[in-house]
Amino acid sequence: QVQLVESGGGLVQPGGSLRLSCVVSGSIFSHNAMAWYRQAPGKQREEIATITSIGATNYADSVRGRFAISRDNAKETLYLQMNDLKPEDTAVYYCNGPLRSGRFYSWGQGTQVTVSS
């Protein structure tokens, strides 16, 4: 059973920064692409950043230039560096696949990011 544990969220003022972490247990982490998602109240879950097994990245237009996804295979951990945060970034942030098969792991608890002055 794969377990995803997100951390690093919190309350930050507009323009501030946070770094989120996602520890992935129970999988061959280095062989899989991973992604960050977020879900704001009243909105659908949104994929915002992906990283392949070899480190190629893609970003949603809403975060491109401000967020950076990375991974540490030795630590089996996914990261999301978030800079120049805006109120519209407020959401619960999750990590997950999809895997090459198209399947997803069971979703973790997520970590709350609140951007407010």
Side-chain angles (χ1 to χ4, degrees):
Q1 180 72 30
V2 173
Q3 185 175 9
L4 307 173
V5 180
E6 299 93 346
S7 64
L11 175 63
V12 64
Q13 293 187 342
S17 298
L18 287 172
R19 190 177 77 154
L20 307 184
S21 298
C22 168
V23 177
V24 183
S25 301
S27 74
I28 307 176
F29 177 78
S30 64
H31 291 185
N32 295 317
M34 293 293 295
W36 283 98
Y37 303 81
R38 67 185 182 187
Q39 187 165 26
K43 297 184 178 180
Q44 294 185 356
R45 185 183 64 226
E46 174 190 19
E47 182 183 274
I48 58 171
T50 62
I51 184 166
T52 71
S53 61
I54 60 171
T57 59
N58 282 288
Y59 299 93
D61 290 343
S62 57
V63 307
R64 186 176 293 110
R66 299 187 298 118
F67 291 9
I69 188 172
S70 62
R71 64 196 298 162
D72 186 331
N73 289 339
K75 296 181 178 179
E76 297 186 317
T77 301
L78 183 73
Y79 300 98
L80 184 68
Q81 178 66 47
M82 305 187 296
N83 299 322
D84 191 25
L85 284 161
K86 303 175 180 180
E88 52 263 44
D89 296 319
T90 296
V92 178
Y93 284 71
Y94 302 89
C95 60
N96 214 316
L99 305 178
R100 190 171 182 177
S101 66
R103 297 180 181 273
F104 289 82
Y105 300 126
S106 295
W107 295 91
Q109 184 173 299
T111 186
Q112 175 72 49
V113 172
T114 302
V115 184
S116 177
S117 59

